[in-house]
Each structure stands twice: as C-alpha cells, then as structure tokens.
C-alpha cells in the first residue's frame, strides 16, 4: 500500500464514520487475553460492504453507568488468532447506543479474515468471519445471496440457518462472498402477543414494548430514536440473523420498513392521513447507521464514532420541486442526513449498484382522492391504461396526455395533465444510476432495486361473463396496483430505454419486498404495447414475512377466490394466484376447478406475462447469484413456511430449488433464460 492509499482510507473512514484499523505485512499471535462473553455483546458481531482492501467491522457492547469506553479490535487470518494482521483500540459511546464501527484496511483481496472485540477486562465478543472483495481484474466467478423481509415478530429466520449450513459444506469455489440484504431488515410495525396472539396461522412473537410507541391499528410503531433502536436490537437478537451476520459480510440497503411502512421522504401515513415527520426520518436514519455496518455517507461531521443527527423540526411540507421532492428545509435536511445509494465493484464480473426507493420518491399519484373515483372496487385489479396515464402525468403519450381519464362509464378530469411523471428515484439518484450503468465495465451490471420491478398483472377481460356482475371497464389488462417500482411505468421505461439505447450489456435487476419469488425479463413495455426486453430480473422470496399467497388462504369465499387459492380436501392450499399472474385468469380458474395442471397450462394467455418465467406468491427463502464470464445463474432456494424455528441444523426441509441461467448477451441483443428445476415440484410457478 502506498502512503496515498493510506490517506485515502483515512478520508474514507472519516466520511462514513468509523475508526480505522490498518493491517501489517507480518502477522503475529494475539497478545490479548480474550475470553468469550457473548452475553456482554448481546447483538453479536457483523461486517459489511467488503472491498478488495477493506471491510467494515461492527459490534455493540453496552457499559451501563458511563458515557464512553474502549474496545480492542483484532483481525486475523485464522480463527485461533495466531496470525493477527491488525489491532486497534476503538471507542464505544452511549451516544451511539454503544455500537462500534471499524474500517479494517490494508487487507488482501478475496481473503477470509476473522475478527473479534475485547474490552479492557478481557471480556470478548464472539468471533466473526468476513471476506474481502476480489480485485477488479479478478476473473473468478462471483457468488452471493440476496435476501429481504425478515419479520421476527411473525416468523422464524430459518432461511439464514439453511444458508449457513449449505455454505459450510460447499467447496471453496461454491461458497458465498457476501449476502445482499435488499431491505426490511426490521419491521417497525410491531404486534404485541397479549393483544394479537396470532396473525393468519402464525404465532406473534414477543419483541418487547417499544418505548414511547404509537398505536396504529393492531401495530405499535416507533416515535423516536429509542423506539427504532429497540426494534433493531429485537431483530438482531434472533439467533439465526445474528449467526448469519457473524458468518457472512452483508451489503445492505433499506426499503420502507426501516422508516415507515407507507412512508416516503419525511412523510408518514397512518389510517389514510399523511403527516410530516422530519425528526422521525432522522431517527430512522441514525438507527440504521448505528446497527448496519456499511459505507453509507452521513451528512454530519460529528466524528468517527457517532452519527451526529442534524436538528430538524416537524413542519408542513407543501412545496415540491419538479421531481416531487419536498423543498421544505427540514425535509431536505432530514432526508440528507444519510445517503444510502452506492455501488460496489466485485471482481471483473460484478458491479453491484444499490438504489434507495423511498427517500427521494414523490407522493404516489394513484393514492390521490381524485383517483378513487375510477375504482369501482368490484375487481381485484385496476385497468392498466389509467395507471399509466396517472403515472405519466404531462409526459404521457409523448407529451400529449388526455384531458380526461375515461374508464368504462366513469370519466374524470385528468388531474395529472400538467404535473411531471411520477418518480421513485428522484433527480440526483436517477442521474447517478444512469451514469453508473453506462460507465460500468463489469460483465454484469447488477441493480439492487429493493422492491419489485416486474409487472404484476392479469387479464380480467377474459373472465367468464357473470363471474363479476359489472363488466370489466378496462381496455385490456389490469394491474394489482402501483405499490412498488412496477407501477412507475414511465421511470422504469426511461431506465430500460437508456440501457437499450446505450447498448448496455449484462443488465440484471435483483429485488425483494414482494414476499415472493419471481424470475423474468426487464422490459420497458408489455403487450399490447410490444415486448422488447433489455435485461433479466429477479425477485427473492421473503426470509419470513407472510405474502399474498398465504393471506389468500384466509380470504372470504367469493366468486374470485379461485383466482387466488385452491383448497383441495385433505391437502394443503394451492396458490392459483401464480397462474393468474403468469398464465391468465382462464388458466387459474381451470386449475381451481379440475386440479389438472396440463389443462390449466393449455389455457395460457401468451400476452399476459411474456416477461415472466417463474412466480411463487407464497415463497420464503433466499436466492443465490453466480456471475462469471459467460453466464449468470440465479437459484431460488425455497424453504417451507417458517412459522417456527427449525429444530435441525440445516434450517428444515426445502419446498424447491429452481435455477435460471442466462448466457452473456451483447448490448442491443435480447437476453434468453433457461430454467431448471433442481428439487421439488413448483408446478404452479413454472
């Protein structure tokens, strides 16, 4: 390492808020009288955001009755710490909830390291394992898992147990380099088991009382920093989450539940009422920064060992720029207190590009009171054409939006006619994303998009006459709503069109949030508007949070219930919603009636979902990507529903294992995926 390199690392440590630990060329045995006392480090250890020569190390060690203490951090080439390459003293402060962040630098690339923390009395943390990234010139395959949505309140985190179990038994070239966590690391909406003992068929587990909580329906939510810290500690107390963080380096980006379920920018929304919440946004950012080891940028220069929250006030947010961002100064300061979007290069083959889908997004125009007049409530889906008109604003139809929106016998003035297109990314982040995609030299440009980009729609125009009394008011297809990026039609097409126009090869999207497994193609439009994919796209099932398939098992009986679930006598429910989305309503109704998958597939509408290769709306588990010079593989590892913690070290049985492979395609060419069912029978999903 040169002197300039060291100065650069010192600057990097300062920017992200971390103590720096610098490796030496000659390893030596530890001189620390360490003895493991896990109970003194109740959240264990973790590492994050690996680069070729550095990684972030983390722990939490409370010291009651004082404001500041010091830990010794060691990093070694072996778990016995006979070959320690670096040690440093790092502060822990009550002001930072006793969390400790260390940037271990001067490391060797693509190397397994072991680390631990010790207090002045010799009381030590558990030992953690981490792995540095390969050099940009390294052509070896890159293998990582991506996950999302771990609800400790309502489930078990068996997927992490399975992931560790498989990795420990894999050959060296098949082991994971890192885990990409695409958000909902916590669920800030917490149920108390004495109030809600069960949800669906799940036991509600006790996460303790959130201090100063606000009651919202059956949930309790944080109102301050202490509340968020409590929820992080309650989640990391889970033994499988804690073991995974100690075994793998994590790369994390938040989704919505790290702040507020229906929130965006500095807004919260409860019971249909939108409220400004600038101090709450700062508190959420601070808790994320304290508990998630990462290289995110904080705005404050308060020091290396604490977040330094800016002072903001709760104030009305009434004025917006042309990207829908609230210009009220406290909103700008609150959102800007932490910048999470970033990219990590991982060898020759992977550029991992992470975006934040909630800090900069505009208010969802389909949530406006004016839009409600178009929804009769009789259909489970909304006409796609009116979603696109409302989404596109004044940019719709090449800048010629209609003056009125007419759906069936309903007609309203186009309340979006003079407003900009809806954005999730915001101006600065979108420009950064485009620049990164077009400049990247990696074989695979992998966009971590946090929530789903693949269209979720069906063909209600093909429902049998009389199944629903009112005729379908749309022209063609209906969507299941715009709650994720699949509803940002104009902005998604803008990104995908740029990929096509710049002939960006190897464009891959990985997402979470939907609590379901999806595989398909990234395309700016679907029939009848055409279909011209520019990349491939995947959504991973939740670690534990329940999804639409499970919820449908508890829907009331109705004429449309067969579109969601089939309940054969003496057998588990079957999720016909997968067929509804992938093959159309005729296919789902046939299977619900006959149970004959061949007959159901024969009724597939080829125009409803040419972009989809796989859908499982009741899938839990994780996904594994293997990226190499000529191919990229994405494997879905689906576990059984994680209602209780597994009693076996492998995390319990699998439902299925399904892989999708795409061979490298040149910029401007259409990608092609091959599907392989390795284990199980996901017959309604393929």
């Amino acid at each position: 390492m040169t002197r300039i390199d060291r100065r650069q690392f010192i600057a990097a440590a300062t920017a992200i808020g971390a103590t720096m630990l610098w490796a030496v060329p000659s390893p030596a045995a530890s001189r620390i009288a360490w003895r493991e006392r896990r109970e003194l480090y109740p959240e264990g250890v973790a590492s994050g955001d690996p680069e070729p020569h550095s990684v972030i190390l983390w722990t939490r060690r409370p010291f009651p009755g004082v404001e500041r203490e010091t830990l010794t951090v060691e990093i070694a080439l072996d778990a016995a710490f006979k070959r320690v390459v670096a040690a440093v003293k790092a502060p822990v402060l009550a002001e930072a909830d006793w969390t400790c962040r260390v940037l271990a630098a001067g490391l060797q690339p693509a190397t397994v390291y072991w680390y631990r923390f010790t207090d002045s009395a010799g009381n030590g943390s558990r030992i953690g394992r981490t792995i540095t990234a390969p050099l940009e010139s390294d052509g070896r395959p890159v293998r990582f898992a991506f996950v999302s949505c771990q609800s400790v309140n309502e489930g078990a985190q068996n997927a992490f147990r399975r992931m560790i179990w498989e990795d420990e038994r894999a050959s060296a070239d098949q082991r994971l380099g890192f885990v990409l966590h695409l958000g909902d690391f916590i669920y800030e909406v917490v149920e108390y088991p004495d109030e809600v003992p069960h949800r669906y068929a799940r036991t509600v587990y006790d996460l303790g009382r959130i201090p100063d909580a606000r009651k919202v329906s059956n949930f309790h939510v944080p109102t301050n920093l202490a509340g968020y810290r409590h929820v992080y500690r309650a989640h990391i107390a889970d033994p499988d989450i804690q073991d995974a963080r100690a075994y793998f380096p994590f790369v994390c980006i938040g989704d919505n539940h790290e702040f507020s379920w229906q929130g965006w920018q500095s807004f919260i929304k409860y019971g249909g009422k939108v409220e400004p919440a600038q101090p709450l946004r700062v508190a959420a950012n601070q808790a994320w920064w304290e508990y998630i080891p990462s290289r995110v940028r904080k705005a404050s220069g308060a020091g290396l060992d604490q977040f330094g929250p800016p002072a903001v006030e709760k104030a009305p947010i009434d004025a917006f720029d042309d990207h829908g961002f609230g210009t009220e100064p406290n909103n700008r300061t609150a959102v800007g207190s932490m910048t999470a979007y970033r990219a990590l290069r991982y060898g020759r083959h992977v550029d991992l590009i992470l975006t934040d889908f909630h800090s900069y997004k505009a208010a969802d125009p389909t949530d406006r009171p004016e839009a409600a007049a178009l929804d009769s409530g009789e259909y489970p889906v909304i006409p796609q054409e009116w979603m696109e008109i409302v989404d596109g604003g004044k940019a719709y139809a090449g800048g010629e939006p209609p003056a009125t929106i007419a759906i069936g016998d309903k007609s309203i003035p186009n309340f979006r006619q003079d407003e900009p297109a809806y954005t999730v990314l915001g101006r600065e982040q979108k420009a950064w994303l485009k620049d990164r995609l077009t400049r990247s030299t990696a074989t695979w440009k992998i966009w971590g998009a946090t929530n789903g980009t693949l269209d979720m729609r069906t063909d209600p125009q093909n429902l049998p006459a009389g199944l629903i009394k009112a005729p379908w008011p749309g022209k063609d297809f209906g969507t299941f709503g715009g709650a994720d990026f699949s509803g940002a039609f104009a902005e998604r097409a803008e990104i995908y069109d740029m990929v096509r126009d710049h002939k960006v090869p190897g464009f891959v999207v990985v997402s979470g949030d939907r609590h379901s497994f999806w595989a398909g193609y990234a395309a700016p439009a679907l029939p009848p508007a055409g279909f011209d994919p520019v990349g491939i796209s995947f959504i991973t099932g939740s670690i534990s949070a329940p999804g639409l398939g499970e919820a449908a098992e508890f829907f009331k009986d109705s004429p449309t219930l067969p579109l969601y679930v089939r309940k054969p006598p003496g057998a588990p429910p079957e999720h016909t919603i997968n067929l509804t989305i992938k093959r159309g309503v005729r296919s789902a109704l046939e299977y619900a009636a006959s149970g004959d998958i061949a007959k159901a597939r024969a009724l597939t509408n080829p125009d409803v979902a040419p972009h989809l290769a796989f859908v499982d709306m009741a899938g839990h588990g994780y996904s594994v990507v293997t990226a190499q010079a000529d191919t990229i593989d994405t494997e879905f590892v689906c576990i059984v529903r994680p209602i209780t913690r597994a009693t076996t070290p492998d995390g319990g049985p699998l439902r299925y294992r399904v892989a999708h492979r795409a061979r490298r395609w040149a910029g401007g060419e259409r990608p092609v995926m091959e599907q392989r069912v390795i284990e199980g029978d996901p017959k309604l999903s393929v």
Side-chain angles (χ1 to χ4, degrees):
M1 303 263 61
T2 67
R3 190 172 298 172
I4 292 176
D5 290 331
R6 187 173 183 130
R7 285 202 298 265
Q8 289 173 338
F9 274 115
I10 291 171
T14 302
I16 63 177
T19 300
M20 196 179 78
L21 175 154
W22 191 265
V24 296
S26 301
S30 173
R31 297 181 179 180
I32 302 296
W34 169 90
R35 60 183 177 275
E36 186 173 300
R37 291 287 304 276
R38 289 195 185 193
E39 76 279 9
L40 298 178
Y41 300 78
E43 287 72 42
V45 298
S47 66
D49 281 15
E51 290 190 352
H53 300 296
S54 63
V55 66
I56 304 291
L57 308 179
W58 178 97
T59 195
R60 179 174 181 268
R61 168 64 166 97
F63 289 90
V66 298
E67 293 299 313
R68 182 186 181 96
E69 271 290 350
T70 302
L71 299 175
T72 298
V73 188
E74 297 174 282
I75 188 166
L77 289 166
D78 65 314
F81 287 77
K82 301 293 186 184
R83 294 183 293 157
V84 175
V85 299
V88 73
K89 292 188 181 299
V92 284
L93 283 72
E95 184 68 22
D97 203 26
W98 300 111
T99 58
C100 179
R101 294 159 51 90
V102 173
L103 177 64
L107 306 177
Q108 294 302 307
T111 301
V112 176
Y113 287 94
W114 305 85
Y115 62 96
R116 66 189 185 189
F117 298 79
T118 312
D119 67 21
S120 59
N123 300 311
S125 70
R126 68 183 295 170
I127 294 171
R129 169 185 175 271
T130 192
I131 313 167
T132 51
L135 291 170
E136 188 172 326
S137 58
D138 193 325
R140 284 176 290 183
V142 174
R143 189 169 168 86
F144 68 92
F146 64 99
V147 302
S148 75
C149 303
Q150 53 201 37
S151 176
V152 174
N153 203 194
E154 294 184 346
Q157 318 316 302
N158 298 330
F160 284 127
R161 178 61 43 208
R162 163 65 64 166
M163 189 188 298
I164 295 169
W165 187 85
E166 292 199 356
D167 197 76
E168 288 176 335
R169 287 154 181 78
S171 59
D173 63 342
Q174 291 297 304
R175 289 184 173 172
L176 302 176
F178 62 94
V179 173
L180 170 60
H181 201 300
L182 289 164
D184 295 346
F185 187 95
I186 63 166
Y187 276 73
E188 94 298 359
V189 286
V190 174
E191 298 157 307
Y192 295 164
D194 58 315
E195 297 176 348
V196 186
H198 297 89
R199 184 165 178 250
Y200 305 137
R202 293 174 177 244
T203 297
V204 171
Y205 296 102
D206 189 7
L207 301 189
R209 261 40 180 183
I210 298 175
D212 307 312
R214 175 177 178 175
K215 183 77 179 289
V216 179
S217 184
N218 289 330
F219 299 99
H220 300 261
V221 299
T223 61
N224 54 30
L225 177 60
Y228 283 111
R229 285 171 167 172
H230 173 91
V231 178
Y232 274 98
R233 291 195 296 268
H235 279 70
I236 298 172
D238 179 90
D240 292 325
I241 292 176
Q242 195 167 130
D243 285 354
R245 280 169 45 108
Y247 185 78
F248 299 109
F250 271 57
V251 177
C252 299
I253 187 79
D255 196 46
N256 56 334
H257 283 287
E258 283 86 352
F259 169 46
S260 185
W261 173 37
Q262 295 183 316
W264 72 98
Q265 295 182 37
S266 294
F267 292 102
I268 56 177
K269 180 182 176 184
Y270 299 130
K273 181 183 178 183
V274 176
E275 307 169 36
Q278 295 92 330
L280 193 66
R281 165 56 84 176
V282 173
N285 285 356
Q286 178 171 348
W288 194 96
W289 183 88
E290 289 173 344
Y291 280 87
I292 304 295
S294 74
R295 298 176 192 263
V296 301
R297 303 186 301 279
K298 65 186 181 77
S300 169
L304 304 181
D305 43 25
Q306 57 186 300
F307 184 74
V312 295
E313 297 179 357
K314 182 178 176 179
I317 307 172
D318 300 321
F320 301 88
D321 65 18
D322 59 359
H323 278 65
F325 191 83
T327 56
E328 192 277 323
N330 291 280
N331 183 54
R332 288 192 179 279
T333 300
V335 173
S337 64
M338 184 179 82
T339 303
Y341 65 85
R342 63 201 189 280
L344 287 87
R345 184 64 185 261
Y346 212 88
R348 185 184 302 168
H349 298 309
V350 169
D351 200 359
L352 183 61
I353 306 167
L354 306 179
T355 51
D356 179 343
F357 273 11
H358 294 276
S359 294
Y360 313 103
K361 69 181 284 189
D364 186 347
T366 65
D367 259 354
R368 295 259 287 270
E370 301 97 316
L374 292 171
D375 185 4
S376 68
E378 296 184 68
Y379 279 81
V381 291
I382 300 167
Q384 183 168 326
E385 63 268 22
W386 89 253
M387 285 280 294
E388 292 176 343
I389 293 169
V390 171
D391 168 76
K394 62 184 178 182
Y396 180 78
E400 297 184 2
T404 61
I405 305 175
I407 301 295
D409 60 357
K410 299 180 183 295
S411 180
I412 64 168
N414 184 357
F415 60 95
R416 293 271 290 141
Q417 184 176 7
D418 299 316
E419 299 177 0
Y422 174 55
T423 178
V424 169
L425 294 164
R427 178 192 289 110
E428 290 82 5
Q429 182 177 215
K430 181 159 55 180
W432 171 85
L433 172 62
K434 289 179 175 180
D435 180 65
R436 186 78 188 199
L437 284 170
T438 54
R439 286 194 303 109
S440 177
T441 58
T443 307
W444 306 103
K445 295 83 176 165
I446 300 180
W447 179 17
T450 75
N451 63 54
T453 65
L454 288 164
D455 290 80
M456 182 173 172
R457 71 175 194 172
T458 194
D459 54 351
Q461 67 270 30
N462 290 329
L463 285 170
L467 186 71
I468 297 177
K469 291 182 180 178
W472 170 240
K475 293 179 181 177
D476 293 296
F477 300 97
T479 77
F480 284 81
D484 61 19
F485 198 65
S486 68
F489 296 99
E491 186 165 62
R492 186 185 56 179
E494 180 184 349
I495 300 298
Y496 291 175
D497 285 345
M498 184 220 68
V499 169
R500 180 198 61 217
D501 295 345
H502 284 78
K503 293 183 167 54
V504 176
F507 176 61
V508 181
V509 188
V510 294
S511 306
D513 187 62
R514 279 194 192 167
H515 307 179
S516 49
F517 285 106
W518 295 58
Y521 295 94
L526 296 180
F531 178 60
D532 185 18
V534 299
I536 55 178
S537 184
F538 303 93
I539 302 173
T540 191
S542 69
I543 290 289
S544 55
L548 177 57
E550 182 176 347
E553 297 170 21
F554 297 85
F555 287 177
K556 294 180 180 178
D557 192 27
S558 72
T560 59
L561 186 62
L563 298 174
Y564 292 92
V565 66
R566 178 176 186 261
K567 298 181 180 180
E574 296 181 282
H575 301 102
T576 52
I577 182 64
N578 301 333
L579 297 172
T580 299
I581 293 168
K582 187 176 186 298
R583 299 183 178 278
V585 297
R586 290 172 175 159
S587 178
L589 292 173
E590 172 58 43
Y591 188 81
S594 69
D596 188 323
I597 189 60
K599 288 182 178 179
R601 288 173 179 164
L603 293 175
T604 298
N605 178 353
D607 288 336
V608 71
H611 63 304
L612 294 181
F614 189 97
V615 179
D616 178 12
M617 294 299 293
H620 300 285
Y622 59 94
S623 302
V624 175
V625 172
T626 304
Q628 47 195 335
D630 297 321
T631 59
I632 188 163
D633 294 82
T634 302
E635 180 178 286
F636 296 156
V637 183
C638 182
I639 63 172
V640 299
R641 187 172 296 169
I643 294 178
T644 59
R645 190 165 189 245
T647 58
T648 55
D650 62 358
L654 297 184
R655 281 183 54 216
Y656 58 76
R657 191 189 300 268
V658 177
H660 297 88
R661 166 170 288 190
R663 300 192 181 279
R664 185 179 181 183
W665 65 92
E669 291 182 345
R670 178 178 287 201
V672 176
M673 278 196 300
E674 304 164 0
Q675 184 179 82
R676 183 163 58 103
V677 177
I678 302 170
E679 185 176 344
D681 182 17
K683 63 181 180 182
L684 302 190
S685 298
V686 296

